Amino acid sequence: MTQAANIDTERLTGLLQLMQRIRAFEQAAIAAQKEGLVLGAIHPSIGQEAVAAGICTNLEQADLMLSTHRGHGHTLAKGADPLAMMRELFGRAGGTCGGKGGSMHIADFGVGMLGANGVVGANIPIATGAAHGLKLQGSRQIVTCIFGDGAVNRGPFLEGLNWARVFDLPVLFVCEDNGFSATTRTATMTGGAGAGARAQSIGIPAIEVDGNDLMAVDTAARAAINDIRAGMGPTLLHAKTYRITGHTAVDPATYRPAEEVEAQQANCPIARLQSALTLAGVEAARLAALHTEALHEMTDIAAQAQATDWPDPALAYADVQDVGNPAERAF
Amino acid sequence: MARDTYLNAGRRAVIEEMQRDDAVWALGEDLGRGGVFGQYKGLQDMFGPARIADTPISEACIMGAAVGAAMTGTRPIVEMRFSDFALCAVDELVNQAAKARFMFGGQMRVPMVVREPIGMWRSSAAQHSQSLEAWYAHIPGLVVVAPSTPADNLGLLKSAIRCDDPVVYMEHKNLWALEGDVPEGEHLVELGRAEVAREGDAITIVTWSAMRHACLRAADVLATKGTEVEVIDLRTLWPWDRDAVFASVRRTGRLLVVHEAVSVGGFGAEIAASVAEALHHHLKAPVRRLGAPRIPIAYAPALEDRARVSDDAIINAVQGLIAPRTVA
């Protein structure tokens, strides 16, 4: 466990609050799915909150981010409105995508969150292209691309990293490594040493970090982001974490021994940060209140989302394309 | 008007649009050397390597990067060399470019042009000869364009570059050297509008891309026998110009669709079905499609020819459709 003598307890308490809100958001979403209110597949990131919080706190709002199908935490940490996000999960009007995307396509371009993606690794070339576009336009913004450990076995990982190196693009690649490719252990499917070694073979610096240690993620991300903004080109951050739930909210994850999950629950990033802050002198009652407040906030948001209207069915025809717009003429 | 080639007309379109709009840039393999066919010749000298960007042989990343670059406010022209190779980037085009605007609730557009040359071209065999336009016409969100003349290649490519939707722009490899009259000055052709390439009252032929020229040759022959064929070049497959096609079929009462692509599941099926559904009572004969058999395209010319729709096949199909119908 990280224990810094002079940690910034106010800042870290804020990050703990963010992590509690991410967890509470997902717990509310899971509860709503069990009631049949949230449809489709949702992929919780419970246990992985330190990656979202530790990285996004070091980004500016104008910076861009692309995420995975497990992207609620990243989106919330980037600054999206949780009520709009929850409405999206409920498929309601006023959702971040007007109810057209759902959990797997959550996006808020207003805060630089360019989309979760339902195709593993597909966000990597898009992120390099976004960085390419920014560079062509002389912007100082950077792009963060978060993907899972399963993505490193897809071609777009290799192609996207190579591209970012060749064109020296301002991209932070983050491998949020929870050890599982859907329901299969990624280690059994991956040749060699994985994400970091593959990045280094392309000439991209790679930093490995304990992804359940918020302070470690924060420190590593800040250094990497500073380097990227200074024009040093892409970096890969390999954050090792653990997914406490199954692949989806309805996956019982029986492919993992109970002892393993129990041990990982003890290693949960929220518990670890709470312990560190308590040791640093923050009152336990204040920390406990963050948990309660987050639960209340997200429970209330879920209720508001449920009370929101469905989208106008006519909107099914909107935003398909301008040329040959199906709303203009039913072909 | 000036004479120019199909290839040069496309090159001129890129130059004019890049001069007009700083956000336009091109990316693909070998662009600095002019592209596979010379479509980009000299452009890197004119615009620099940042705007005429040489990329790795990395189709998925070329396409995906264009999606990201389009989301951030640039207007990429994606060069895929051959439509066959673009299959390496289908996720990026179909799951990402075509869907992003919709699934993100209209938060942005993806203005990109994907140049994917199609068609049979001097014994290039099964992986360099396909015409896969129907696949993309099937995908909501994509505009699909297949120009057949130099003037249209100028005007349609310029319109495609200005379009805020992702456009699959399919030039025909066997037309690069084709010469034709090309307007001087600004020339734009509206996407989604067909051209009546030849007027006639006996039958409507709907076609696009290189088959326009075969259909016009066949029509010349048929005219000497007293049959006046109307040839409609769709130019844009999605959206296709139903008004032009329906108006013509209402007049002629007969429809033949001719394309180079495999007939099964080809875009001709969509046109034939639409006309059959909407204009049944106007038809004097069954609608008919003419396309390739469902075989990969072979290398040897004698075998390749079996996949090619010949002028004679078009003539025979027309004659079959206008012959007096006999009751069996």
Side-chain angles (χ1 to χ4, degrees):
Chain A
M1 183 165 300
T2 305
Q3 290 186 32
N6 297 307
I7 61 174
D8 182 344
T9 54
E10 283 310 305
R11 180 165 178 274
L12 292 176
T13 302
L15 288 172
L16 177 65
Q17 182 181 27
L18 173 59
M19 289 161 65
Q20 289 283 22
R21 292 176 74 233
I22 292 170
R23 182 164 299 187
F25 178 91
E26 294 199 320
Q27 285 171 336
I30 293 167
Q33 184 164 64
K34 285 182 179 156
E35 290 182 60
L37 297 166
V38 168
L39 308 170
I42 59 170
H43 302 81
S45 63
I46 290 171
Q48 305 182 184
E49 297 89 346
V51 180
I55 287 165
C56 292
T57 188
N58 290 293
L59 296 172
E60 297 174 6
Q61 192 177 77
D63 289 331
L64 306 179
M65 186 179 75
L66 291 96
S67 177
T68 69
H69 54 283
R70 202 177 302 286
H72 308 138
H74 312 140
T75 308
L76 207 51
K78 192 69 177 71
D81 170 20
L83 176 57
M85 288 175 61
M86 194 65 83
R87 283 179 170 143
E88 189 59 34
L89 266 58
F90 276 71
R92 305 302 169 113
T96 51
C97 305
K100 286 180 167 176
S103 165
M104 275 192 286
H105 306 301
I106 207 149
D108 186 347
F109 280 61
V111 297
M113 181 9 198
L114 269 51
N117 207 304
V119 181
V120 169
N123 57 342
I124 301 174
I126 299 174
T128 60
H132 203 135
L134 294 176
K135 188 171 181 177
L136 280 174
Q137 296 172 95
S139 169
R140 71 179 290 281
Q141 292 158 270
I142 71 163
V143 179
T144 297
C145 180
I146 306 179
F147 47 85
D149 41 309
V152 308
N153 290 327
R154 284 207 65 225
F157 170 80
L158 169 69
E159 297 193 25
L161 264 64
N162 181 60
W163 186 286
R165 177 77 280 165
V166 166
F167 291 101
D168 259 334
L169 298 176
V171 194
L172 174 64
F173 294 108
V174 178
C175 179
E176 186 177 51
D177 182 353
N178 62 26
F180 288 88
S181 301
T183 63
T184 301
R185 277 188 204 277
T186 306
T188 66
M189 295 285 129
T190 304
R198 290 182 188 186
Q200 284 165 346
S201 78
I202 292 172
I204 293 180
I207 308 157
E208 188 173 308
V209 66
D210 178 348
N212 281 23
D213 181 342
L214 181 274
M215 286 182 271
V217 177
D218 176 40
T219 304
R222 182 173 346 142
I225 288 166
N226 285 342
D227 285 350
I228 292 165
R229 209 181 300 282
M232 292 175 67
T235 290
L236 182 136
L237 187 66
H238 186 181
K240 291 200 163 175
T241 181
Y242 193 81
R243 191 188 71 199
I244 289 175
T245 70
H247 174 55
T248 63
V250 297
D251 168 19
T254 50
Y255 43 87
R256 307 185 303 193
E259 314 84 70
E260 176 183 306
V261 181
E262 273 170 38
Q264 288 291 344
Q265 274 167 338
N267 188 38
C268 151
I270 289 180
R272 285 176 61 176
L273 185 57
Q274 274 175 333
S275 299
L277 286 167
T278 306
L279 280 175
V282 182
E283 283 179 35
R286 185 180 170 202
L287 298 179
L290 295 179
H291 178 224
T292 316
E293 286 164 13
L295 282 178
H296 286 153
E297 178 194 6
M298 297 306 170
T299 307
D300 180 55
I301 276 173
Q304 287 186 61
Q306 190 184 351
T308 308
D309 289 340
W310 296 102
D312 178 350
L315 293 174
Y317 292 88
D319 287 316
V320 177
Q321 56 191 111
D322 294 326
V323 178
N325 181 350
E328 290 170 10
R329 177 173 182 169
F331 279 92
Chain B
M1 287 286 180
R3 298 289 288 179
D4 211 341
T5 61
Y6 184 84
L7 183 143
N8 277 334
R11 182 174 169 277
R12 190 181 130 195
V14 174
I15 292 171
E16 288 182 6
E17 292 307 299
M18 287 186 67
Q19 286 170 337
R20 191 184 64 82
D21 183 354
D22 288 342
V24 179
W25 62 298
L27 64 163
E29 301 150 18
D30 297 328
L31 297 197
R33 295 179 61 84
V36 183
F37 302 98
Q39 315 97 299
Y40 300 86
K41 194 174 177 189
L43 266 58
Q44 203 174 60
D45 290 337
M46 291 176 69
F47 296 104
R51 290 185 71 197
I52 299 289
D54 280 315
T55 69
I57 298 175
S58 193
E59 289 82 2
C61 203
I62 295 168
M63 193 78 81
V67 175
M71 285 179 176
T72 54
T74 71
R75 304 183 80 88
I77 300 169
V78 177
E79 178 54 51
M80 280 282 126
R81 300 169 79 98
F82 299 92
S83 70
D84 316 69
F85 297 177
L87 301 186
C88 299
V90 165
D91 172 66
E92 289 72 15
L93 180 55
V94 171
N95 282 327
Q96 312 296 334
K99 307 290 191 300
R101 176 181 168 193
F102 180 87
M103 71 185 185
F104 297 143
Q107 295 187 64
M108 47 72 206
R109 304 281 190 279
V110 185
M112 56 190 268
V113 179
V114 184
R115 294 178 82 178
E116 297 191 10
I118 56 171
M120 280 185 266
W121 172 63
R122 62 169 205 212
S123 288
S124 298
Q127 294 175 343
H128 289 71
S129 303
Q130 296 169 90
S131 293
L132 301 173
E133 63 271 20
W135 292 15
Y136 300 103
H138 188 69
I139 304 301
L142 299 178
V143 176
V144 182
V145 182
S148 61
T149 68
D152 280 354
N153 204 20
L154 172 65
L156 287 167
L157 185 49
K158 283 169 66 80
S159 293
I161 293 168
R162 295 184 192 191
C163 180
D164 287 335
D165 299 320
V167 178
V168 182
Y169 194 86
M170 303 180 121
E171 288 148 297
H172 196 291
K173 298 186 288 285
N174 216 30
L175 295 180
W176 291 124
L178 178 76
E179 281 195 13
D181 289 335
V182 179
E184 291 166 274
E186 178 85 323
H187 175 62
L188 291 164
V189 174
E190 186 184 354
L191 301 173
R193 293 284 165 263
E195 182 190 20
V196 179
R198 180 190 176 105
E199 293 185 352
D201 54 15
I203 184 171
T204 301
I205 296 183
V206 174
T207 190
W208 55 89
S209 191
M211 275 294 134
R212 167 192 173 118
H213 306 289
C215 291
L216 288 173
R217 287 192 301 269
D220 284 343
V221 172
L222 288 158
T224 64
K225 300 174 181 176
T227 301
E228 290 298 333
V229 174
E230 181 138 303
V231 178
I232 295 180
D233 178 356
L234 278 188
R235 307 196 286 195
T236 303
L237 271 67
W238 198 267
W240 65 282
D241 193 341
R242 288 163 61 108
D243 292 344
V245 171
F246 283 13
S248 176
V249 174
R250 276 195 194 95
R251 252 183 327 97
T252 65
R254 294 182 174 88
L255 172 66
L256 171 67
V257 188
V258 180
H259 58 61
E260 185 174 316
V262 168
S263 192
V264 174
F267 198 65
E270 174 65 26
I271 297 164
S274 298
V275 166
E277 283 174 353
L279 301 179
H280 176 72
H281 297 296
H282 295 269
L283 292 171
K284 300 171 192 165
V287 295
R288 171 128 195 242
R289 289 174 285 158
L290 204 52
R294 196 168 178 278
I295 53 175
I297 294 167
Y299 166 71
L303 302 179
E304 185 188 65
D305 279 345
R306 298 308 293 264
R308 187 175 273 116
V309 175
S310 67
D311 296 7
D312 283 346
I314 300 168
I315 292 166
N316 288 339
V318 168
Q319 289 176 331
L321 286 170
I322 61 172
R325 294 171 75 179
T326 53
V327 178

